[in-house]
């Protein structure tokens, strides 16, 4: 933010619609309706279904999905996908419950009004089998199944030493997976060119991210994307923070934005101009992948927080694992029984651990209600917008509705403390009517109507609760008063060390001018404006990251709702007198080894050098090093020469090579800029 504030442009910050003097609560929540985070997809909220689940196609399940706003159903169920044969509904080595065949599943999909996300059998299947499935689904039956993943967690096939995923290929390397993905994609699209093909990636910052198996030339993600980036339509990642309790799970959600940004960086790196059409799907998420507390209130809060955070950070569908799973470890959390069931709905009184049995089948567990609050927050086509809070115990998410209403979700993460929230708005003014209030709090029978318990300016949040407020705009204010629509999705046409040129599809209506705003938390700053559909932004710091929206202003001065966001990073100067190569040579999910090469390509000798850089993520650190001396101050890293490598000869006469072992709590992106003795260097790969 400090770097952005130094830009030689006029800053434009929208005024608060509620004066700061009105503050009475212990927490302030600020919502900026002009800082767009993306559009809610029709498949945004999803759930996994599994062929071992005899209740998966109960009519009540479809109605519960529908009531929660679930718009995507994944089939046939995680790792079972790699032993499943759709044509005869068999899974050799696994159990298949009666009535779980593909057509029965599609009946539930249609009854829900959702769309399927189908996993083609990679582990023991073939490209022909997958293509035949596409033919049956979309040609013979006319189901219009759009999304098809190639396999489940194929990186778990033993190539990195742990093998839970069935894979009968003799070659289990990422190179082989990439070759097969290309073959599957070609065969499936030959049947139906409209299908979207997804490749499996590892989640950055989670095992086995960064691991390179013996004989391989790169890790899973880089190897796969280098080969298939132009053949696929989306990538699929899974996320289980695997923490020991609900509070830790909620805290772990802070890792998601950085990890998903790294996924997008990888896609950008390998797909180039095709990157804009490649989506990110988080097809499995839960707080734990083993024995944890799953059915009690903290995991319901986690479901809402994690799923909405994923959507705000570029995911088009996020699918809870799973619908019914069965009783596991029994515990007591906050005075309620936790059945250790990863499902969102009960598997019934026949599902027991010892003498403790689950409630009646299809009884909603806490994660179902957490997801249902997201259904109350938004509908497909709504615009997610930026929000932030002053308290670490309260989180917020906001959506600008298609009809101009604003919905705000407030989540109290404290198990014991009540919080009173003061709400502030940028780019939106609420009318005088009391907001509609939906609440899920201890003692509530699910998600209840609590209208009358809050105002547009203030709400009191019970411990471990979620509250959703929906306000109408004051007449003649905000984007609802504009006579122009939102501009189309912007893209960069060129990016330099200090400049970036953007273009975008025109907005509907009579536009006076377009304005490009950078997001600075919940504030926005004007970077540039244009009467056309492109602009060049100047005076940007080298190696700096920016997230921007384009808004249209009509002839009366009203601003439209924001475009879909664009994130870009400026380069480093081609004419610099120094170069730096930064390479991660190995990684193991939460740690890594890096090698750095520094060269002096200027005309003058350097005798004694200092190299500085900043970590992009707060979770990155240096623990040990060699061939240099390294100190850190937060995210700032300071490297100096040793006695034996102080000299850097001019014109690239020699180079200095040093390395270090680092740790990463979450994503591990490469630094974007290095400074040698005060000069920003050209970063080379």
């Amino acid at each position: 933010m400090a770097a952005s504030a130094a830009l030689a442009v006029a800053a434009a910050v929208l005024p608060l619609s509620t004066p700061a003097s009105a503050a009475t609560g212990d927490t302030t929540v600020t919502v900026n309706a002009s800082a767009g985070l993306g559009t809610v997809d029709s498949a945004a909220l999803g759930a996994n279904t599994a062929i071992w689940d005899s209740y998966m196609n109960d009519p009540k399940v479809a109605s519960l999905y529908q009531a929660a706003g679930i718009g995507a159903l994944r089939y046939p169920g995680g790792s079972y996908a790699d032993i499943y044969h759709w044509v005869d509904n068999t899974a050799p080595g696994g159990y298949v419950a009666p009535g779980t065949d593909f057509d029965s599943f599609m009946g539930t999909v249609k009854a829900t009004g959702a769309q399927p996300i189908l996993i083609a059998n990679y582990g023991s299947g073939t490209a022909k089998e997958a293509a035949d499935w596409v033919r049956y689904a979309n040609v013979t039956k006319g189901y219009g199944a759009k999304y098809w993943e190639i396999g489940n967690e194929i990186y778990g096939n033993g190539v990195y030493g742990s093998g839970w995923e069935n894979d009968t290929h003799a070659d289990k390397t990422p190179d082989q997976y990439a070759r097969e993905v290309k073959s599957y994609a070609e065969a499936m699209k030959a049947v139906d060119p409209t299908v979207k093909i997804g490749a499996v990636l590892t989640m950055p910052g989670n095992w086995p991210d960064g691991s390179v198996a013996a004989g391989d030339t790169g890790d899973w993600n880089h190897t796969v994307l280098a080969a298939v980036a132009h053949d696929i339509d989306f990538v699929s990642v899974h996320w289980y923070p695997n923490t020991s309790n609900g509070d830790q799970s909620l805290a772990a959600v802070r890792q998601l934005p950085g990890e998903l940004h790294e996924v997008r960086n990888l896609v950008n790196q390998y797909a180039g101009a095709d990157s804009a059409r490649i989506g990110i799907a988080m097809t499995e998420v839960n707080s734990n992948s083993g024995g944890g507390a799953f059915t009690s209130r903290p995991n319901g809060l986690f479901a809402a927080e994690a799923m909405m955070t994923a959507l705000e950070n570029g995911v088009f569908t996020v699918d809870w694992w799973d619908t019914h799973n069965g009783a596991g470890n029994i515990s007591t959390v906050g005075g309620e029984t936790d059945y250790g069931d990863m499902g969102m709905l009960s598997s019934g009184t026949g599902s027991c651990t010892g003498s403790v049995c689950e409630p009646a089948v299809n009884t909603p567990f806490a994660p179902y209600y957490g997801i249902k609050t997201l259904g109350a927050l938004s509908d497909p086509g709504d615009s997610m917008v930026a929000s932030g809070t002053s308290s670490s115990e309260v989180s917020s998410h906001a959506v600008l509705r298609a009809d101009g209403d604003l919905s705000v979700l407030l989540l109290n993460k404290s198990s014991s403390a009540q919080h009173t929230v003061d709400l502030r708005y940028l780019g939106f003014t609420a009318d005088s009517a009391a907001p509609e209030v939906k609440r899920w709090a201890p003692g509530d029978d699910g998600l209840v109507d609590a209208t009358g318990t809050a105002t547009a300016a203030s709400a009191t949040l019970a411990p471990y609760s979620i509250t959703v407020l929906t306000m109408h705009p004051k007449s003649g204010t905000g984007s609802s008063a504009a006579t122009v629509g939102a501009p189309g999705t912007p893209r960069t046409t060129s990016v330099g060390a200090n400049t970036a040129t953007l273009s975008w599809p025109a907005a509907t209506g009579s536009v006076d001018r377009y304005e490009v705003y950078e997001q600075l938390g919940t504030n926005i700053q004007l970077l540039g404006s244009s009467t056309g559909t492109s602009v060049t932004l100047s005076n940007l710091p080298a190696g700096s990251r920016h997230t921007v929206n384009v808004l249209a202003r009509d002839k009366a001065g009203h601003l439209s709702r924001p475009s879909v966001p664009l994130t870009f990073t400026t380069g480093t100067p081609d004419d610099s007198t120094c170069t730096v190569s930064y390479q991660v040579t190995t990684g193991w999910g939460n740690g890594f080894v890096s090698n750095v090469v520094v060269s002096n390509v200027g005309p003058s000798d350097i005798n004694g050098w200092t190299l500085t850089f900043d970590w992009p993520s707060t979770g990155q650190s240096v623990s040990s090093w060699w061939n240099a001396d390294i100190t850190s101050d937060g995210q700032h890293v300071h490297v100096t020469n040793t006695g034996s490598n102080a000299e850097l000869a001019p014109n690239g006469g020699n180079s200095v090579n040093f390395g270090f072992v680092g740790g990463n709590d979450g994503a591990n992106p490469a630094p974007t800029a290095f400074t040698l003795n005060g000069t920003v260097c050209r970063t080379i790969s």
Side-chain angles (χ1 to χ4, degrees):
M1 293 183 186
S4 298
L7 299 174
V9 296
V13 178
L14 302 182
L16 289 167
S17 64
T18 306
S21 60
T24 58
D26 57 63
T27 301
T28 299
V29 169
T30 303
V31 177
N32 193 331
S34 295
L37 304 178
T39 303
V40 179
D41 193 277
S42 59
L45 303 179
N48 278 268
T49 63
I51 53 174
W52 69 76
D53 174 13
S54 59
Y55 300 114
M56 67 176 282
N57 294 314
D58 283 4
K60 185 176 180 181
V61 173
S63 64
L64 286 166
Y65 284 151
Q66 200 168 38
I70 289 173
L73 297 175
R74 185 172 181 251
Y75 175 93
S79 294
Y80 258 58
D82 286 307
I83 60 173
Y84 179 67
H85 301 286
W86 70 271
V87 72
D88 56 2
N89 196 43
T90 60
Y95 170 71
V96 179
T100 61
D101 59 275
F102 175 57
D103 287 313
S104 297
F105 163 73
M106 286 304 302
T108 298
V109 169
K110 293 174 73 174
T112 303
Q115 54 190 301
I117 297 177
L118 302 173
I119 317 169
N121 183 342
Y122 174 87
S124 60
T126 65
K128 181 181 182 304
E129 181 183 31
D132 288 344
W133 195 1
V134 173
R135 181 177 291 104
Y136 178 78
N138 292 354
V139 179
T140 303
K141 302 294 289 190
Y143 289 143
K146 186 193 322 186
Y147 297 110
W148 300 76
E149 295 178 72
I150 310 304
N152 186 53
E153 296 169 351
I154 304 301
Y155 49 81
N157 62 4
V159 68
Y160 300 112
S162 184
W164 65 86
E165 199 74 19
N166 181 56
D167 184 358
T168 59
H169 296 88
D171 184 347
K172 302 188 189 313
T173 64
D175 287 292
Q176 174 65 16
Y177 176 70
R179 285 190 290 269
E180 291 287 346
V181 167
K182 290 173 77 73
S183 177
Y184 274 64
E186 182 180 6
M188 296 164 78
K189 290 194 173 191
V191 174
D192 181 355
T194 70
V195 297
K196 305 295 185 184
I197 303 298
V200 173
L201 298 186
T202 67
M203 187 66 152
N206 295 256
W207 185 93
D209 177 50
S211 299
V212 179
D216 287 352
T217 57
D219 66 4
W220 184 274
N221 286 352
H222 287 84
T223 302
V224 170
L225 280 174
V228 307
H230 301 288
D231 302 285
I232 61 173
D233 305 285
F234 67 98
V235 295
S236 173
V237 293
H238 294 171
W239 191 63
Y240 297 90
N242 288 321
T243 51
S244 59
N245 61 55
D247 290 341
Q248 291 180 6
S249 297
L250 285 165
V253 177
R254 63 176 172 75
Q255 299 173 354
L256 267 181
E259 292 176 355
L260 291 169
H261 178 66
E262 273 305 283
V263 175
R264 177 50 64 189
N265 275 351
L266 283 166
V267 174
N268 290 345
Q269 177 182 348
Y270 290 105
D274 280 347
S275 178
R277 66 166 183 79
I278 297 176
I280 301 172
M282 186 182 290
T283 53
E284 288 186 23
V285 62
N286 206 315
S287 60
N288 205 297
S289 58
F294 295 114
T295 69
S296 50
R297 182 166 292 273
N299 210 31
L301 300 175
F302 171 82
E305 182 78 339
M307 293 175 76
M308 196 64 203
T309 299
L311 295 173
E312 290 169 338
N313 285 277
V315 169
F316 72 86
T317 182
V318 54
D319 311 320
W320 187 255
W321 182 267
D322 57 353
T323 302
H324 303 95
N325 210 74
N329 180 56
I330 305 297
S331 61
T332 301
V333 178
E336 63 178 315
T337 300
D338 191 296
Y339 297 96
D341 187 330
M342 297 179 78
M344 65 172 71
L345 304 177
S346 170
S347 292
T349 55
S351 180
C352 310
T353 298
S355 61
V356 180
C357 299
E358 294 190 356
V361 67
N362 294 327
T363 299
F365 289 138
Y368 173 82
Y369 290 120
I371 297 168
K372 192 174 183 179
T373 65
L374 301 185
L377 175 69
S378 68
D379 292 311
D382 292 344
S383 300
M384 296 172 285
V385 296
S387 66
T389 82
S390 64
S391 170
S392 61
E393 292 190 334
V394 174
S395 65
S396 63
H397 305 276
V399 166
L400 185 61
R401 301 275 196 164
D403 63 2
D405 288 355
L406 182 72
S407 292
V408 181
L409 183 148
L410 304 169
L411 191 152
N412 186 353
K413 294 181 276 190
S414 172
S415 62
S416 58
Q418 173 180 285
H419 285 286
T420 300
V421 170
D422 293 316
L423 290 129
R424 303 286 180 262
Y425 307 99
L426 301 167
F428 180 85
T429 303
D431 69 7
S432 58
E436 175 188 308
V437 181
K438 299 289 186 183
R439 186 187 65 207
W440 179 56
D444 289 338
D445 184 16
L447 185 65
V448 302
D449 186 345
T451 300
T453 63
T455 69
S458 180
T460 298
L461 312 179
Y464 266 3
S465 69
I466 302 177
T467 301
V468 179
L469 312 179
T470 299
M471 283 80 56
H472 301 307
K474 183 178 179 181
S475 179
T477 66
S479 60
S480 59
T483 59
V484 290
T489 302
R491 64 184 181 92
T492 55
T493 55
S494 67
V495 178
N498 305 109
T499 63
T501 300
L502 281 55
S503 64
W504 54 88
T508 58
S510 182
V511 176
D512 181 65
R513 65 182 182 276
Y514 295 95
E515 297 176 356
V516 179
Y517 289 89
E518 179 174 20
Q519 294 182 21
L520 303 175
T522 54
N523 285 323
I524 58 175
Q525 175 176 257
L526 181 66
L527 291 188
S529 65
S530 173
T531 56
T533 56
S534 66
V535 70
T536 296
L537 307 176
S538 303
N539 301 317
L540 305 173
S544 59
R545 179 186 170 196
H546 306 269
T547 297
V548 300
N549 300 107
V550 182
L551 288 82
R553 193 176 289 276
D554 67 17
K555 302 296 184 182
H558 299 117
L559 277 175
S560 71
R561 63 179 56 219
S563 72
V564 170
L566 168 69
T567 297
F568 65 90
T569 301
T570 56
T572 51
D574 290 335
D575 59 352
S576 177
T577 56
C578 55
T579 65
V580 173
S581 169
Y582 176 93
Q583 300 288 335
V584 174
T585 58
T586 188
W588 48 91
N590 61 355
F592 61 98
V593 176
S594 286
N595 184 69
V596 183
V597 179
V598 183
S599 300
N600 169 22
V601 295
S604 302
D605 181 71
I606 295 177
N607 192 0
W609 54 267
T610 296
L611 185 77
T612 60
F613 64 89
D614 291 313
W615 290 120
S617 171
T618 58
Q620 294 172 284
S621 60
V622 176
S623 57
S624 61
W625 50 88
W626 52 93
N627 293 344
D629 294 318
I630 301 180
T631 59
S632 300
D633 181 12
Q635 291 174 246
H636 188 67
V637 181
H638 188 271
V639 187
T640 56
N641 60 269
T642 64
S644 61
N645 63 4
E647 185 170 1
L648 283 167
N651 303 313
N654 69 317
S655 297
V656 170
N657 188 311
F658 68 90
F660 55 86
V661 177
N664 55 292
D665 180 15
N668 185 33
T672 55
F674 298 85
T675 300
L676 180 70
N677 290 358
T679 297
V680 178
C681 299
R682 177 166 61 92
T683 302
I684 58 177
S685 58

